[in-house]
């Protein structure tokens, strides 16, 4: 079994983000007076809060409910734990590109190793995003217009109660519209076993609510999955919750260096398709 990697500080990307111009922009006074409070983002499926140790915005989904799961998860949180055999963090390597912006954690029970490794259960998903500052010194909103993001995604899905299948794909497109206070998002994993993606899934959602003060966004989404054998299309509804990271300096100078990450879940009792997943990304010209 893979040994436990302590305190994951970043993520492994499944693609290289394009370095090209994004949309949007705003100056120190372009956004108008900031509201006293932004939109309420209603996503009760997730635990959401600011972390004590670094003030990051956290989205968490704990699915491990078996006896002993809390003890296993506690070992991943411990500064000097035993390495729990049969469990590991699926996204645990540091990605230098985003090391100061986010932490993605996927704790799973696994069997086998190397090419024979199989994900049996997901115990916990976590997406931590660095704080978002969209108000200038005069109390005005900084960002205005639309901003465009791309990145990666992973899905852990089950069809008709069958074994868990891992989908590895992309945050194909995300549009953050600060004027309408909405987010449009498109997440897709292909059926491509040779590349480690065992199931085709897609989420396409528009008009998700955006809190322009905190950078939180989310709401109800629908996930679809197409059978590689029959072509049959299944769908389930669920929720998505994400956060933005950005600061006054970057936004006001049109550097456009925001990042994003979050979680999604779909399906309930009686649904043929049930899935949980994580996404992450940045503006298209991040790091220019």
């Amino acid at each position: 079994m893979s040994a436990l990697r302590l305190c994951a500080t970043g993520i492994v990307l499944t693609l290289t983000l394009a370095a090209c111009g994004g949309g949007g922009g705003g100056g120190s006074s372009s956004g108008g007076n900031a509201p006293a409070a932004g939109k309420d983002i209603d996503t009760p499926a997730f635990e959401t809060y600011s972390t004590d140790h670094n003030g990051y915005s956290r989205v968490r989904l704990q699915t491990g409910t078996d006896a002993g799961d809390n003890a296993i998860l506690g070992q991943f949180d411990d500064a000097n734990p035993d390495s729990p055999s049969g469990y590991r963090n699926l996204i645990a390597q540091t990605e230098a590109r985003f090391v100061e912006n986010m932490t993605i954690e996927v704790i799973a029970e696994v069997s086998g190793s190397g090419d024979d490794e199989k994900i049996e259960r997901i115990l916990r998903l976590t997406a931590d995003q660095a704080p978002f500052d969209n108000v200038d010194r005069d109390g005005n909103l900084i960002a205005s217009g639309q901003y465009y993001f791309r990145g990666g995604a992973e899905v852990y899905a089950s069809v008709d109660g069958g074994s868990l299948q891992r989908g590895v794909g992309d945050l194909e497109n995300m549009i953050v519209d600060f004027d309408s206070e909405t987010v449009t998002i498109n997440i897709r994993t292909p059926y491509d076993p040779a590349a480690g993606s065992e199931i085709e899934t897609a989420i396409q959602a528009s008009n998700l609510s955006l809190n322009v003060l905190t950078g939180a966004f989310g709401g109800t989404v629908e996930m679809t999955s197409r059978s590689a054998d029959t072509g049959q299309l299944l769908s389930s509804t669920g929720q998505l919750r994400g956060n933005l990271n950005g600061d006054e300096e970057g936004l006001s100078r049109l550097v456009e260096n925001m990042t994003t990450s979050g979680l999604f879940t779909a399906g309930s009792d009686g649904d043929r398709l049930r899935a949980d997943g994580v996404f992450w990304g940045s503006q298209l010209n991040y790091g220019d």
Side-chain angles (χ1 to χ4, degrees):
M1 297 304 141
S2 300
L4 169 65
R5 182 185 178 90
L6 304 181
C7 302
T9 57
I11 62 175
V12 174
L13 286 181
T14 57
L15 77 167
T16 300
L17 297 174
C20 57
S28 61
S29 61
S30 66
N33 291 330
K39 283 186 177 180
D40 181 40
I41 311 302
D42 185 21
T43 53
F46 305 105
E47 188 181 4
T48 58
Y49 56 94
S50 294
T51 58
D52 291 333
H53 63 289
N54 59 9
Y56 278 27
S57 298
R58 171 167 290 176
V59 183
R60 174 164 281 179
L61 178 67
Q62 183 164 329
T63 57
T65 58
D66 287 2
D69 283 348
N70 287 334
I72 292 294
L73 291 170
Q75 292 190 52
F76 282 88
D77 296 330
D78 194 307
N80 186 29
D82 295 326
S83 181
S85 178
Y87 297 85
R88 75 179 187 93
N89 192 341
L90 298 176
I91 303 179
Q93 284 190 308
T94 298
E95 167 52 53
R97 183 181 181 87
F98 290 151
V99 67
E100 296 181 354
N101 300 92
M102 68 181 78
T103 301
I104 304 294
E105 176 193 74
V106 179
I107 304 299
E109 179 182 357
V110 299
S111 60
S113 61
D115 293 340
D116 295 324
E117 182 178 275
K118 175 66 178 175
I119 302 170
E120 302 293 345
R121 287 191 305 136
I122 298 297
L123 273 67
R124 187 173 72 192
L125 305 180
T126 305
D128 288 354
Q129 190 70 210
F132 182 65
D133 180 8
N134 189 30
V135 180
D136 67 14
R137 293 168 216 140
D138 298 322
N140 295 316
L141 291 177
I142 300 166
S144 66
Q146 296 181 337
Y147 294 77
Y148 299 86
F149 295 71
R150 286 182 183 168
E154 291 205 7
V155 178
Y156 311 96
S158 175
V159 176
D160 292 332
S163 61
L164 209 60
Q165 300 175 76
R166 185 181 194 175
V168 180
D170 301 329
L171 171 62
E172 291 193 330
N173 186 42
M174 188 173 97
I175 304 172
V176 177
D177 190 326
F178 284 97
D179 294 343
S180 66
E181 301 182 15
T182 60
V183 170
T184 297
I185 194 166
N186 182 358
I187 297 170
R188 180 179 176 271
T189 68
Y191 176 70
D192 188 359
S197 186
E198 301 171 309
I199 186 168
E200 177 183 331
T201 67
I203 290 177
Q204 294 178 304
S206 58
N207 296 319
L208 296 176
S209 295
L210 167 69
N211 186 310
V212 297
L213 295 181
T214 67
F217 61 89
T220 300
V221 296
E222 181 181 49
M223 173 179 281
T224 59
S225 177
R226 188 181 305 276
S227 169
D229 297 324
T230 67
Q232 182 182 22
L233 192 67
L234 300 178
S235 65
S236 295
T237 58
Q239 295 176 23
L240 178 147
R241 176 69 174 249
N243 289 293
L244 300 174
N245 158 245
D247 57 30
E248 179 177 358
E249 181 180 4
L251 292 174
S252 62
R253 296 178 183 178
L254 302 183
V255 175
E256 299 186 0
N257 62 349
M258 284 185 287
T259 59
T260 188
S261 63
L263 307 179
F264 51 88
T265 186
S268 57
D269 291 344
D271 287 336
R272 297 183 62 189
L273 171 65
R274 303 188 69 172
D276 303 308
V278 58
F279 66 91
W280 61 87
S282 73
Q283 287 183 267
L284 299 190
N285 59 344
Y286 181 90
D288 280 3

